[in-house]
Amino acid sequence: MFKKLLLTLAFIVPFASQAATTDTTKLIKKCETKYKADKQKKMDCITKVKKSAKKEADKAKKISSSKVTDSKKASTTKSKTEVKKQLKAVNVNTASASELAASLPGIGEAKAKAIVDYRKKNGKFKSSKDLEKVTGLGEKSVGKMKKYLKF
């Protein structure tokens, strides 16, 4: 009786902490009744039940995390399209940092502030080549915003 209690505690209680379902508990009990005489077979059977339950739990976790990822992708896509709708041509010689950040693709608050600071220090921009001199802006990033630039 004491051994049976220990076996139950050793295998069912830790497994219950892994959110064991009633089906898993039933399968473990089947293993115990089917292999009463052979301890090794009983242990093997219980181990298989636990492994399959863990696989099912991992599969469910994976599915739920992929749903979260899909919803994140959807919200990211939505925000990108919203940003595209706000893009408009802007005069880089007169616009504030917040106007630049809201109007130009790939420009956030930090780069917009760098543009304004550079303009204050070095004077007005004459072409897009002048913008490439701003720290943090290169040929590619300026190329993406070229159609939105006014001088």
Side-chain angles (χ1 to χ4, degrees):
M1 175 90 171
F2 185 70
K3 284 183 181 179
K4 188 173 183 179
L5 179 63
L6 280 177
L7 279 174
T8 304
L9 289 174
F11 291 101
I12 295 177
V13 172
F15 192 67
S17 68
Q18 297 175 3
T21 62
T22 54
D23 292 337
T24 307
T25 308
K26 286 178 184 178
L27 290 172
I28 290 173
K29 286 185 180 186
K30 276 186 183 179
C31 290
E32 289 173 348
T33 55
K34 186 174 181 179
Y35 300 111
K36 275 185 182 179
D38 193 345
K39 288 182 183 180
Q40 186 60 44
K41 285 185 179 180
K42 182 175 20 176
M43 299 299 264
D44 291 343
C45 180
I46 291 172
T47 304
K48 285 180 185 177
V49 169
K50 286 182 180 181
K51 282 183 181 178
S52 70
K54 188 175 182 335
K55 282 182 185 177
E56 290 298 319
D58 290 346
K59 194 183 294 184
K61 187 186 269 187
K62 196 173 192 178
I63 290 170
S64 67
S65 69
S66 70
K67 287 180 182 177
V68 169
T69 305
D70 290 345
S71 67
K72 283 183 182 177
K73 283 180 185 174
S75 66
T76 303
T77 304
K78 185 178 179 182
S79 64
K80 283 182 182 177
T81 56
E82 287 173 6
V83 170
K84 284 184 181 177
K85 291 179 185 177
Q86 295 174 354
L87 296 180
K88 61 181 179 181
V90 64
N91 188 328
V92 292
N93 292 315
T94 58
S96 67
S98 59
E99 289 172 328
L100 291 171
S103 303
L104 297 175
I107 300 296
E109 290 296 325
K111 285 185 184 176
K113 187 175 181 327
I115 291 171
V116 172
D117 291 343
Y118 185 89
R119 181 178 70 203
K120 286 179 182 176
K121 194 174 194 178
N122 300 300
K124 292 184 175 186
F125 296 102
K126 294 180 181 114
S127 69
S128 58
K129 280 285 184 193
D130 291 341
L131 266 176
E132 291 177 17
K133 296 175 186 172
V134 176
T135 305
L137 294 179
E139 190 177 329
K140 280 187 176 181
S141 57
V142 172
K144 289 178 184 176
M145 66 174 102
K146 235 178 192 175
K147 64 182 178 182
Y148 301 104
L149 297 175
K150 289 182 183 177
F151 297 95

